[in-house]
Amino acid sequence: MEDTCSKFEAARKASDINIEKACTICKFTPPTLSERERNPSSWRLGELVSLHASMSDIAKKILIEAVNDIFLS
């Protein structure tokens, strides 16, 4: 699961979305973002939809792969 965790962070960074911006997009605090990236199964669909909409095409592919890793592994 550690690999999946790094994929969420990689997707965020690939879109040049820092922690503060991600928190604004998803409407939560930095500790919550940190928890989501450490424990990917704790993401809520609405948060992922908002984050996905703010990402570049390359980052969206990484994010989708990370989500697939949770549900299809």
Side-chain angles (χ1 to χ4, degrees):
M1 191 61 95
E2 188 173 328
D3 183 46
T4 302
C5 175
S6 64
K7 286 179 185 175
F8 281 93
E9 184 177 1
R12 178 175 56 79
K13 289 180 176 181
S15 276
D16 199 28
I17 297 174
N18 63 25
I19 291 170
E20 293 78 19
K21 186 173 179 182
C23 289
T24 299
I25 292 166
C26 296
K27 300 181 177 133
F28 49 56
T29 63
T32 302
L33 175 64
S34 194
E35 169 61 24
R36 298 289 195 271
E37 288 184 345
R38 276 194 321 271
N39 183 13
S41 63
S42 67
W43 282 98
R44 296 179 179 157
L45 289 176
E47 296 164 353
L48 291 171
V49 168
S50 297
L51 195 57
H52 183 268
S54 301
M55 293 184 155
S56 67
D57 289 342
I58 291 171
K60 285 178 180 180
K61 290 177 184 178
I62 298 168
L63 183 66
I64 289 168
E65 184 178 320
V67 172
N68 284 341
D69 286 351
I70 291 170
F71 293 105
L72 302 176
S73 293

